Amino acid sequence: MISFKNIYFSKAGRLCCGIAAAFLVTVSFSSCDDFFEQDSDHVIFADKDHLNNAVDTMYSVVGIMNKLQALADRTILLGEVRGDLVEVTDEASADLRQIALFEVGDSNVYNQPRDYYAVINNCNYFIAKADTALKNNRDEYIFRREYAAVKAYRAWTYLQLALAYGQVRYVTDPILTKQDADREDSYPLLGIKDLCTRLVADLEPLVPTYANDFPGYGSIAGVNTRLLYFPLYVMLGELQLWAASSKEDYWKAAVFYYNYLSTRNGINTAYTTGNDQLLWTTDNSLPTSWNRPATGIGNGYLAYVSESYGTNTELITMIAGDSARVDGNYSELRNIFNSTTYNDYKPSLQPSRAIQDISEAQYYCFVTDDEDTLYAQRELSKNLTGDLRLADAWFTQENVLNVDRNERVTYQSIEKYRSRNVHIWRRQMVYLHMAEALNRAGYPRFAFEILQEGLSDKNIARDVLPYYSQSDSTRIVNTFSFPSTLYVLAKDPTYTQNTQGIHSRGSGNSAASQYYQFPEFTTADSLELQIDSIEKLIVTEGALEFAFEGQRYYDLMRVALRRNDPAFLADRIYARRGQAHVAEVKSEIKKNLYDTSSWYLSWKGKLGLGK
Amino acid sequence: MKRYILFGLSLLMAFPLSVAAQDEDVDEEVEAPVRKAVPKKKQYETRTVKGRVVDASTNQPLSGAIVQAVEFEGYSVLTEDDGTYELKLPIFATSVYVSSPDYNAVRIGLSRDEQQVDARLHTATFDADYSKDMNVRSDYTASDFKYTNALNIKDEIQKQLGAFAYTQNHNATPGVGGVIFLRGLNSLNVNAQPLVVIDDVIIDQQYGRPVVHEGLYNDILSNVNPADIESVTVLRNGTALYGAKGGNGVILIKTKRSHSMATRITASASAGITLEPKYLSMMNASQYRTYASDLLKTTGTRLSDFQFLNENPSYYYYNLYHNDTDWKDLVYRTAVTQNYGINVEGGDAVANYNLSVGYTMAQSSLKENDLSRLNIRFNTDISVTSRLDLKFDASFSNQTRSLRDDGAPSGYDERTPTSPSFLAYAKSPFLNAYSFGRGLFSDSKWEIADEAYLDQALSNYPQYNWRLGNPAALNEYAEGENKNRFENSMLNIAVTPKFTFNPHLALQEHFSYNLVNTNEKYYLPVNGMPAYYVASVGAKRENEVRSLFSRQSSIMSDTRLMWNNRYNAHSIGVFGGVRIMWESFKLNNQMGYNTGSDKTPFMSSSLLNASTVGNTDNWNSITWYAQADYNYLGRYYLQANLTMDGSSRFGPDAGLKLLKAGWGIFPGVQASWVVTNEPWMAGVKGINYLRLTAGFDVSGNDDIDYNAARSYFRARQFLQGGDRASGLSFDGIGNDEIQWETTRRFNVGMEAHFIDNRLALNLNYFRSTTDNLLTYQALGYLSGLEQNWSNGGKLQNEGFDVSFTAKVLALKDWQWQLGASVGHYKNKITELADGAQELMTTAYGATILTRVGQAANLFYGYRTNGVYATAADAAREGLYILGSNGITQTPFQAGDMRFVDLYDDARYPGRIDENDRTVIGDPNPDIYGNIFTSLTWKRLKLDVRFNYSLGNDVYNYMRAQLEGGSRFMNQTTNLLQRWQIEGQQTDVPRISFQDEMGNSRFSDRWIEDGSYLRLKTVTLSYNLPLNSQFIQGLQFWIQANNVFTLTRYLGSDPEFASTGSVLGQGIDLGQLPQSRSIVAGVKINL
C-alpha cells in the first residue's frame, strides 16, 4: 500500500526542481558531466572522494583482506601439489590433478591471475588515494600504519603471483577504467628477481617505523586481526631471499629475518623457536613401548598451530576464512586434505611416498638421564620411524563407517588443516629461511646451528665464530645478538628452555645425534661443499617441518634456481612415489621438468613463463 | 485500504474539476471571446473539381458528406442531396478526403479533369481504410477497444495487430501481460522489448526488474485500462525520433480525450467466467504407487517394508495411503471476472475533459491469484487565452493481487516445490488432502503433517527435498493481506502548455511526473509446506518470507518548438526540442526463514538468514531532437529526423564526445510516394490507393547497466560471526566507452486499396543490423574483476509483415469482412564480442546457444534415438558417461536413453559428453499473425479473431519435470510406458532415482513443435437503437475467448512467455495456461 503522504511530500522537492529545470532547458551544456553524474546509496563511486577519514580507511583495508581470501587456497595448493610431498587421490578434482601433472589449463580455478590483481588494484587505489598526511587531534598520522600494511599486502600478492607465473605485470597505479585494464602492454613485465628487488626498494623506507606497527582492528568474528598482516621485516626477508644473487644479498636477507625476531616483541625481547617437541619419552628413560610416543602423535601436537597471538606463539600470518561454504570465502583445504562430510570422507590429497621416505631417513635421538645417547627403533608402523612430525600431522584410520552413505572408508586427517583459516607464515619458517640466507651468505655453521641446537649467543660463540675469520666473526657479533638470558637452550640450569634446533622438534636431541652433525670437509673448497650440504639439510628440514603447508615446491624452486640446477627440483618431483616409481611418474607428467619453463603457470598467453 | 485510495483520488480529482467548473461560471457571466485562433487562409490559385459521393453497397448518393482538400485547411464542401459536390481547391491539391457519419472515409486522388470518379463510401461497420493523417512511416494503428475484456492492452495488440507485433502472453494470470517483439530480436542480452509511450510520455516498463512470486510479471502496462485507450500505434519505422531508446520499436498509446462539447456519459459493465484449463494426464493412485515402489528400488535402500505399499485393508495405515486424490480439484476452479467503467466527456469552448473511472475484479482459474484494479484518468484540454492552450492530464491506477507461486520450480536444491499449481500435478494421488487420525480423515482440517511415506528409505539423503506440500493447505495458510500480496500503483500527472505565436509557430512544454510503486509480500507457510533443505544456507528451514518494495519516479520535461508553412506546392513542417528525463528507481528486497508460526508472517531482521538487497538506480538523459516533414503536391512525402542523446548511462567517451560527455546521433529518413495522387493514376480502375514507402533509420538501445560506465566499490561482509566487519573493495570497473546498441534499419513498404476499397493490402519488408551489442564481457585481468558491460557483436534481422483485409460482402444489411496478417523475421548473429564464435547460457536445465551465423537463442542439447530395449543393445554400442572425478566410466544399460554420439572423439570413443550436443530446437517462429473476420447483419455483429504462430519450438520444461522419472513426484501417464523389462520396446526410459545416467537431461525429448492456431475471440455484439432522452444508445455483447487451439503441443498451452528477454524464449514453465472464457457486457450511452 502506498502512502500518499510520501508521494506528495518527499517528492515535492524533486518536482519543483523538475519544473524549474523544464523552463531552463537552454541551460548551458558545460554542466553535462555534472548532469550525468549520479550517486547511489548502494555503492561508492571511485571518482568520488573517500578515503579521507579513518572509518573509510578501515573499510578499505578490510576490503583488501576480503579479496586476499580468494588467494588462500591456491597459495597452499600451488606450493604443495606441484611438489613431491603429496599425491592426488582418485577423488581429486580435475583442476587439482592438472596442478599435480603440470598441465594447468586456462580455466583451472587455481589459475586465475585476475584474483591476484583484485588485491593489487585495491591496494593500488588505497596507496594512491589515502591521505597519509592526515593527522588526528592527537597529532598522530591516521593512515600511515594502514599504508604500510597495504604495501605489504601488495608485495606479498605480487610475490605469490611471480612465484606461480614466473613473471608479473607490474602495475602500481589503480586501474579505474576498462580501457586502462586492457592496456596490458603499457605495464612492465618483471621476472621474480626484478620484482623482488623493486619491492624491497618499495618497502625498505617503511622500516623500522612500521615494521611492527599494525592497524588495530581488534578481533573480527573471533579472529585476532593481528594475525592478518604481513610483517614488513619478514616480507622483506622473503623478497630479499628470492632476489639475492650474492653473499651480500643473502646477508641482507638474513638481517631482515633477524630484525623481525629481535623486534617482534619489542626492545630487548626474544622471539625464540619455542621448545615444543615430539617425544618418545618424557622422562628421558627408555620407552617401554615402541608404538606409542609420549606426546600425542596423530593429534597434531605440533601440526596444529594455535591461532592466538602472544609473545611466544607460532603463527605469524594467516588468511582468515569463513566457517561455512555458504558464507562465501570458505577455504576448501580442509575438505581437500581431510575426510569430511563435505567430501563423503574422501580427501583429494594424500601424503606421498617421498615424504614418508624423507621422514624415515631421519634418526630419532634421545639422551637418557644417564647421558646415554639412544636412537629410536626403526621400521615402526604408522610413520613412527625417524622423524615424528609426519606421524603427528597425518592420521589415518581404516574401515570407518560413513553414516551418511552407509559405506566404509579410510579416514584421513591432516592435522594441519583443522582450521577455517589458512596459515601463511609461522615462526619456524622465519628461522629456517634465515638459516638458508646465512648459509648462502657464507656462514653454513651459523645456519646449521639453527637446525641442530638452536641459537643463543653462547653456542654461536662456541660453534660458529671460531670457524670464521676475525672480520666475519666481528660482523656476526655486531649484527646478531641472541642473548643467552633470552634465548635459553636445553639444560640451562638457570632458566627454562625456550629455544631449540628446528630438527629437534621431530627428531629428538639433534645436538647429540651422530646422524645430525656438521659435515666436515678438508678440501680447499670445503666452504662451498659445506654450503651445499647444509642447503640440502635445510631443504629436507623444510619438508619435515612444513610438509603439506604449501612451501615445498617453492623451496625446491628457489634452491634449484639458485644452483642453476633444474634437476634439483625435477628429480625430487619425479621421485614423488619413491625412487622405484620414477619412470611411472615421468610418464604421467608429460612436461619436462628439467626445463624451467615447465615450472610456471601460464594463463591465456597473457601472463606466465609456463610452456 | 481501498477506501483510502478512493478518498485520496477523489481529493486529487476534485481540484482540477473545480477549476474547470469555475471557468464555466466565468463564461456565464462574461461573454467569452472566441478563443480559438482561426488560421489565416492563404490565397492560392484554385481550380474546381466535381464529383459524387455514393454508398458503396447500395449505390445511393450520400448527401451531407464532407469533401475536403487533403493538406489544405479550409477547402471543404458538403455534398448535395444527389451526392454531388463541387469544390474549389488550390491547384496544388492532389487528393480529397471524403467522410460522412456512419461511413468510413476515403481518399481520392484527383485527375486533371474537373470531373472526378465517384467516392464510394463503405459503412463504418467495416474497419476504417484511411485516416486523416498521412502515414509516411507505415505505422499501424488499432483503435477499436469497444468490447474488449482485456486487462492489459497487449491482449488487444495480439488480437488486432497480429503480424505487426509478435506478442505472447506470459500466462493466464489476470493482467500479467506479455512480451512483444517488433521487427525481430534487436538485442541479445539487454532489453529487447519496445519502448512504450503513453500520451507522449515515455513510461519505463521496468523490464528486468525483479518480482518475488514465480509466475508473476509486473507489467506496467496493466496500469492502463484498455477501455481508456483511444489508439495503439506500432511504430516500426521512423524510430530514430526516440534516439537511443527506439531500437526495439515503439508502441504509442493515446488515451481518450474529449472530442465533443456535448457531455457524453458512457457506462459499461461486463461479467464473465473463465473455465479451468486443459490439464496434463497424470497417473492415478495405484499407478503412482507402483512408480514410487519401482523408484525406491533404485535408491539403494535395503528396506522392503513400507507403509504405503501394504495392501492389507485392515492395516492401520491402509487408509492413509489408499486414496485417489485429484489435487487439481483443490487448486483450480471456474473463475469469475467483473469489469465496470464509466466515462464522461464534455466541455465547452474553453475546456474539454474526459474522465473515466474503471474497476475490475478478475479471479484466476487458479485459486488465490485474483486481481482487482481501480483506474482513474482525467484528461483535459484548456484554452487559456487565444494563444495559450493547456493540457492537464492526471491518472492513477492501483492493482492488488493475492498470489501464489505458479509453475514448475527452477530446481529442488533451494526448496521443495512451492507452487500449488505444480503440486496439484506432482503430489502423490494416494495421499489425502485432509488430516488423518485414529484411522479417519477429517472433513475440514487440511493435512499439515509432512509427507512421511519415504522417510525410512530416504533417511540417508538429508539434503534431498522429496517431501511435497499439500497445495490445499498451502493455499489456506498462505492466505492473508500480510502474507501473499502484490500491489502496484501508478500515478501520472502531466501538464502541457502550448503557446502559439502565430499560425505557423508554437512553443510547447510537456512536463510529466510519473510514479510507480510496487509492493509485494511473499510467504511460504509453516503449515502445508514440509521443512526443506536450503543448499545455499546449508540447513533445513521450515518456511520463508520475503518482501519487495520498489518505487520509480520519473520526471520528464519536453520542450519543443513547432513551425510549419506552405509555399504553394511545398509544405514544410518542422519541430525540434529537448527532452530531459530524470529517473530514479529504488528497490528493497528482503527475505528470511523460519517465522516460527503462520500467525506471525512478518519479515524481520531476526529471522534466520535474513538478508536485504537493494538498488538505487538514478539515471537521466537529455535528448535533442528535430523532425522535418516535407511534401510536394501531396504526392511525395519526406520525413527526416535527427536525434542527439546523452545519458548518465553512457560512458564519457562514448560516441560523439562533446562537453565532457558522450552523445549518440540518430538520423532517420522516410519517404513516401502516393502513386494514386498522380493525375495519371487517378481514376485507374481497380486501384483506389497506392502508396510506396522506403526509409532508413538509426536508433539505439540504451538499456545499459546503471553503473557500467563507472568504477565503484561495494561493501562486502568480511567473515561471518558476531563482531563481523565489512570491507570496501572494487566491485565495478567502469567502461569509459560504453554506449548504446545501434540498430540501422532499412524498410520498404506498400499500402494499397483495390476494387472499390474492398481489398486492402499492406506490405512491409525490413532489414536491420544491430551492432555494439551490450555484452557482459571479460575485463582485462589487471582490473582484478571478471566482467563488465561492453559493446561488441552484431546481429541482423530481416523480415516482413503482410496484411490484407477484404470486404467479402458489402450489402445493405449484410457485411462480411475477412482479413489476415502474416509476420516473419529471421534473426542472425553475425558477430560476437571478443571474437567468440558462440555463447552458451543456461536456464532451467537448458543450454541456450548463440552462435555466429545462426539465430539467437537456440536450444542446444542431446539428440536421442529411443531407448535400449536389451542389455545386449546397450553393450553393443558401448556408450558411457564420465564421472565427475574424470576417471569413472558408467556405461548405459538396457532401459537407458540411447543418446546419439555425435562427436566422434578418437581418444574417448563412446563417451557421451557435452561435445555431443547439437542444436535441437529454435524458439523463433517461422510465421505468426492473425486471421480475423466479422459478419454484420444490421445491428448485430459477429467478430472472430484467430491468432497463430508456426514453426516455433518449445522446451517443455514442465514435461521434463513430470516425465523425468527420477523424483518422487507424480508423473504423466506417459510414464506407464516406461522401460521395465529386458526386451521391452518403448521410447520412455527406465526410471532411476536421481537419474545418474542423465536420461532426463536436456535433450530433444523435451523439445516440441509449439505451432498453434487459436480461436482467440468470438464477439457477438448488438447495438440497440434508442431515442430516449436519457439513454442514447445501448450495446450488448457477448464474447468467448480461447475457444479452441489447434496444436500438436503436448503441454497445456503453446502460448506463454517465461521472460521478456531474448535468451529464454520458448521455455514452458507450466504456468497457468490460457483457458476458455465467456464474458457478457453492456454499454450504455447517456
Side-chain angles (χ1 to χ4, degrees), chain B residues 985-1059:
Chain B
Q985 300 284 342
T986 176
D987 56 0
V988 184
R990 68 190 170 101
I991 58 175
S992 157
F993 180 64
Q994 294 193 322
D995 193 18
E996 59 164 1
M997 295 310 294
N999 286 327
S1000 64
R1001 68 178 74 183
F1002 182 59
S1003 71
D1004 58 9
R1005 283 180 76 191
W1006 315 123
I1007 305 295
E1008 296 179 41
D1009 183 355
S1011 302
Y1012 69 92
L1013 169 70
R1014 169 174 283 163
L1015 175 50
K1016 186 77 185 166
T1017 311
V1018 178
T1019 312
L1020 184 68
S1021 58
Y1022 181 68
N1023 195 345
L1024 183 72
L1026 274 175
N1027 226 345
S1028 136
Q1029 199 181 340
F1030 305 106
I1031 301 180
Q1032 272 139 31
L1034 199 54
Q1035 290 130 43
F1036 300 97
W1037 51 281
I1038 182 159
Q1039 187 176 69
N1041 288 299
N1042 304 315
V1043 182
F1044 64 81
T1045 307
L1046 298 179
T1047 182
R1048 279 184 314 205
Y1049 183 60
L1050 297 171
S1052 295
D1053 185 356
E1055 183 198 340
F1056 55 81
S1058 59
T1059 170

Side-chain angles (χ1 to χ4, degrees), chain A residues 419-484:
Chain A
S419 163
R420 64 185 164 117
N421 306 312
V422 176
H423 299 179
I424 303 295
W425 286 346
R426 57 189 177 91
R427 168 169 63 174
Q428 309 299 331
M429 183 204 83
V430 176
Y431 274 94
L432 200 65
H433 285 186
M434 184 168 79
E436 187 179 325
L438 285 170
N439 184 42
R440 279 286 165 180
Y443 306 102
R445 284 180 186 273
F446 199 168
F448 183 71
E449 207 65 19
I450 294 171
L451 300 182
Q452 189 211 34
E453 197 178 354
L455 291 179
S456 90
D457 284 348
K458 211 190 306 188
N459 65 335
I460 290 172
R462 185 190 68 214
D463 298 337
V464 179
L465 301 181
Y467 297 91
Y468 298 106
S469 68
Q470 186 59 44
S471 62
D472 280 345
S473 298
T474 312
R475 190 186 188 199
I476 289 172
V477 172
N478 287 347
T479 312
F480 295 94
S481 167
F482 298 91
S484 307

Side-chain angles (χ1 to χ4, degrees), chain A residues 1-2 11 22 29 33 35-36 38 42 44 46-47 59 114 122 176 178-179 219 221 322 326-327 406, chain B residues 302 513 517 519 536 616 620 624 648 659 710-711 713 719-720 723 726 728 730 734-736 779 785 790:
Chain A
M1 177 68 220
I2 54 156
K11 285 294 150 191
F29 258 103
D33 54 333
F35 177 80
F36 291 137
Q38 294 293 341
H42 288 87
I44 293 176
D47 47 15
Y59 284 141
R114 194 184 299 278
N122 279 292
L176 296 175
K178 171 189 166 71
Q179 285 68 29
S219 153
D322 281 318
V326 293
D327 291 338
N406 198 19
Chain B
R302 299 199 185 103
Y513 173 73
N517 275 351
N519 191 344
S536 64
T616 309
N620 46 27
W624 295 88
S648 60
L659 304 159
R710 300 172 77 189
S711 295
F713 297 88
L719 300 178
Q720 306 293 321
D723 47 356
S726 56
L728 276 179
F730 274 114
N735 181 349
D736 278 351
L779 276 166
L785 292 178
S790 295

Side-chain angles (χ1 to χ4, degrees), chain A residues 106-409:
Chain A
D106 290 340
S107 58
N108 192 304
V109 294
Y110 304 112
N111 179 18
Q112 302 303 328
R114 194 184 299 278
D115 295 339
Y116 294 88
Y117 283 98
V119 178
I120 291 165
N121 201 34
N122 279 292
C123 291
N124 284 343
Y125 184 86
F126 186 94
I127 291 164
K129 300 285 168 104
D131 184 355
T132 49
L134 210 62
K135 291 182 174 183
N136 66 11
N137 52 12
R138 280 164 297 170
D139 206 32
E140 293 161 342
Y141 287 111
I142 299 178
F143 292 147
R144 293 208 175 165
R145 264 185 298 198
E146 274 87 355
Y147 183 78
V150 169
K151 280 208 158 183
Y153 281 134
R154 182 173 73 176
W156 180 82
T157 306
Y158 264 128
L159 177 61
Q160 295 309 313
L161 184 65
L163 296 182
Y165 293 86
Q167 57 180 198
V168 301
R169 284 277 176 201
Y170 193 60
V171 188
T172 51
D173 291 326
I175 286 178
L176 296 175
T177 67
K178 171 189 166 71
Q179 285 68 29
D180 279 348
D182 287 340
R183 278 189 277 276
E184 283 163 44
D185 292 343
S186 58
Y187 307 100
L189 209 47
L190 300 184
I192 298 174
K193 283 198 179 209
D194 284 350
L195 172 78
C196 290
T197 311
R198 286 212 196 187
L199 290 173
V200 167
D202 182 53
L203 295 183
E204 234 181 332
L206 299 169
V207 293
T209 317
Y210 298 103
N212 284 304
D213 199 2
F214 301 101
Y217 298 157
S219 153
I220 298 175
V223 171
N224 188 335
T225 56
R226 191 68 182 76
L227 293 167
L228 303 182
Y229 304 103
F230 293 93
L232 282 175
Y233 278 131
V234 184
M235 191 71 244
L236 280 163
E238 294 289 289
L239 294 168
Q240 183 67 21
L241 192 61
W242 280 98
S245 49
S246 67
K247 283 199 164 78
E248 280 313 302
D249 291 345
Y250 285 109
W251 174 262
K252 189 174 171 186
V255 172
F256 281 136
Y257 288 119
Y258 168 73
N259 285 342
Y260 177 71
L261 298 174
S262 60
T263 61
R264 176 187 188 263
N265 293 325
I267 300 164
N268 293 324
T269 61
Y271 186 42
T272 68
T273 61
N275 61 347
D276 292 333
Q277 284 188 0
L278 295 164
L279 296 173
W280 271 111
T281 67
T282 49
D283 55 2
N284 284 0
S285 61
L286 264 175
T288 50
S289 157
W290 285 106
N291 52 28
R292 189 177 296 165
T295 37
I297 300 289
N299 290 330
Y301 176 76
L302 280 189
Y304 178 71
V305 173
S306 154
E307 289 168 359
S308 58
Y309 183 87
T311 54
N312 199 28
T313 49
E314 174 76 13
L315 191 62
I316 296 172
T317 302
M318 68 182 188
I319 295 176
D322 281 318
S323 48
R325 263 185 189 152
V326 293
D327 291 338
N329 287 298
Y330 172 85
S331 167
E332 289 291 343
L333 294 178
R334 274 173 289 176
N335 305 316
I336 286 172
F337 282 101
N338 300 324
S339 298
T340 69
T341 52
Y342 273 115
N343 60 17
D344 279 343
Y345 294 85
K346 290 165 188 162
S348 302
L349 295 175
Q350 64 189 21
S352 69
R353 185 66 241 163
I355 180 63
Q356 296 173 55
D357 288 346
I358 292 170
S359 190
E360 281 169 19
Q362 313 306 314
Y363 289 86
Y364 188 93
C365 169
F366 55 87
V367 179
T368 66
D369 287 342
D370 308 333
E371 300 288 328
D372 284 341
T373 303
L374 295 169
Y375 297 95
Q377 201 175 333
R378 317 280 309 162
E379 281 158 28
L380 298 169
S381 62
K382 294 183 179 174
N383 297 307
L384 292 173
T385 310
D387 197 279
L388 291 178
R389 279 171 286 189
L390 177 62
D392 178 53
W394 181 27
F395 169 78
T396 57
Q397 193 178 340
E398 308 280 325
N399 223 8
V400 174
L401 181 71
N402 171 5
V403 287
D404 287 348
R405 284 279 174 275
N406 198 19
E407 62 186 11
R408 298 206 167 262
V409 294

Side-chain angles (χ1 to χ4, degrees), chain B residues 532-608:
Chain B
Y532 50 95
Y533 183 78
V534 184
S536 64
V537 170
K540 278 209 157 184
R541 293 289 178 257
E542 278 188 335
N543 75 328
E544 189 175 330
V545 58
R546 302 191 197 195
S547 72
L548 177 148
F549 178 77
S550 75
R551 177 165 70 196
Q552 177 162 7
S553 61
S554 314
I555 296 170
M556 182 198 82
S557 159
D558 186 343
T559 311
R560 81 170 50 169
L561 195 61
M562 294 166 277
W563 176 84
N564 67 74
N565 210 340
R566 166 171 283 282
Y567 302 97
N568 296 332
H570 308 271
S571 169
I572 304 173
V574 179
F575 65 83
V578 58
R579 180 172 58 236
I580 309 182
M581 296 175 70
W582 292 265
E583 298 270 1
S584 168
F585 179 88
K586 275 182 199 296
L587 170 80
N588 192 309
N589 195 343
Q590 299 177 306
M591 70 165 301
Y593 293 98
N594 288 21
T595 57
S597 134
D598 289 334
K599 294 199 163 54
T600 52
F602 311 110
M603 183 64 227
S604 105
S605 58
S606 61
L607 296 183
L608 284 180

Side-chain angles (χ1 to χ4, degrees), chain A residues 1-4 6-8 10-11 14-15 17-19 21-27 29-33 35-48 50 56 58-67 69 89-94 97 112-115 117-119 121-122 125 169 171 174-184 187 189 219-223 225 228 320-324 326-327 329 403-406 420-421 603 606-607, chain B residues 1 4-5 8-9 12 302 396 398 460-462 487 489 491 493 497 509 511 513 515 517 519 535-538 549 551 553 555 557 559 578 580-584 586-587 613-616 618-622 624 644 646-648 658-663 707 710-731 733-738 777-790 884-887:
Chain A
M1 177 68 220
I2 54 156
S3 145
F4 276 85
N6 265 344
I7 297 172
Y8 292 115
S10 72
K11 285 294 150 191
R14 286 190 70 129
L15 235 139
C17 291
I19 294 169
F23 291 104
L24 286 172
V25 283
T26 46
V27 70
F29 258 103
S30 61
S31 60
C32 276
D33 54 333
F35 177 80
F36 291 137
E37 207 143 280
Q38 294 293 341
D39 232 328
S40 170
D41 303 347
H42 288 87
V43 296
I44 293 176
F45 290 108
D47 47 15
K48 299 271 178 197
H50 76 292
D56 280 353
M58 169 177 164
Y59 284 141
S60 294
V61 173
V62 172
I64 292 166
M65 293 174 176
N66 202 181
K67 287 287 156 191
Q69 291 177 307
T89 67
D90 284 355
E91 308 304 323
S93 69
R97 181 166 287 112
Q112 302 303 328
R114 194 184 299 278
D115 295 339
Y117 283 98
V119 178
N121 201 34
N122 279 292
Y125 184 86
R169 284 277 176 201
V171 188
I175 286 178
L176 296 175
T177 67
K178 171 189 166 71
Q179 285 68 29
D180 279 348
D182 287 340
R183 278 189 277 276
E184 283 163 44
Y187 307 100
L189 209 47
S219 153
I220 298 175
V223 171
T225 56
L228 303 182
D322 281 318
S323 48
V326 293
D327 291 338
N329 287 298
V403 287
D404 287 348
R405 284 279 174 275
N406 198 19
R420 64 185 164 117
N421 306 312
W603 184 73
K606 294 188 172 184
L607 186 72
Chain B
M1 213 169 274
Y4 296 118
I5 300 172
L9 279 167
L12 171 68
R302 299 199 185 103
F396 176 79
N398 176 276
N460 290 339
Y461 299 90
E487 183 165 346
S489 57
L491 171 78
I493 295 169
E509 157 64 19
F511 173 81
Y513 173 73
L515 178 78
N517 275 351
N519 191 344
S536 64
V537 170
F549 178 77
R551 177 165 70 196
S553 61
I555 296 170
S557 159
T559 311
V578 58
I580 309 182
M581 296 175 70
W582 292 265
E583 298 270 1
S584 168
K586 275 182 199 296
L587 170 80
V613 290
N615 290 40
T616 309
N618 297 324
W619 68 105
N620 46 27
S621 60
I622 299 181
W624 295 88
M644 180 163 114
S647 165
S648 60
L658 203 65
L659 304 159
K660 295 186 192 168
W663 298 85
N707 294 329
R710 300 172 77 189
S711 295
Y712 55 90
F713 297 88
R714 194 185 291 274
R716 298 221 180 274
Q717 211 59 54
F718 175 66
L719 300 178
Q720 306 293 321
D723 47 356
R724 57 194 190 172
S726 56
L728 276 179
S729 53
F730 274 114
D731 199 51
I733 293 291
N735 181 349
D736 278 351
E737 293 164 5
I738 188 103
Q777 281 177 35
L779 276 166
Y781 69 98
L782 298 180
S783 68
L785 292 178
E786 288 288 334
Q787 290 180 310
N788 190 9
W789 288 97
S790 295
S884 59
N885 62 358
I887 297 170

